Amino acid sequence: MTQSEQIKDVLQSAKTIAVVGLSSNPLRASHGVSAYMQAQGYRIIPVNPQEEFVLGEKAYPSLLDVREKIDIVNIFRRPEFVPEIVEQAIRKKATCVWMQEEVINEPAAEKARQAGIFVVMDLCILKEHQNISRW
């Protein structure tokens, strides 16, 4: 199966996206991308210790504080923060770790893959969703 087909499968089966680094500032990419995904029917869970509520959803300080099942962990943080987020994603048994454009951390990605998690790196989830919507 190609990466495009795997991405399509993940986006079609996922219901919940935990967005690490989601900002309440509408000018931030994390906000616009998450608002789009929310409008497409995904449940967005903000993960940001600086926020209380984003897009009408309660924010959590870390993935480990989220009580419900997480399908996709969407990362809007600098690459040096990715290893800790991946550790939490593994503990939460997430299906997919998605690193947004310019978020690249190969050692963390490999650790997630070794734990059986599908990894997308350096791609925008909004753009990929729009691409599969055209299929």
Side-chain angles (χ1 to χ4, degrees), residues 66-110:
V66 177
R67 296 275 179 254
E68 59 202 278
K69 182 182 182 321
I70 298 169
D71 297 314
I72 299 172
V73 174
N74 190 12
I75 304 174
F76 280 93
R77 297 292 315 273
R78 291 195 314 269
E80 62 264 30
F81 296 109
V82 170
E84 180 184 357
I85 297 163
V86 165
E87 285 289 338
Q88 293 178 11
I90 291 168
R91 287 178 59 188
K92 291 297 291 180
K93 297 181 172 46
T95 306
C96 172
V97 167
W98 194 300
M99 299 178 221
Q100 284 293 131
E101 290 175 335
E102 299 178 21
V103 180
I104 301 167
N105 188 311
E106 191 52 55
E110 187 53 34

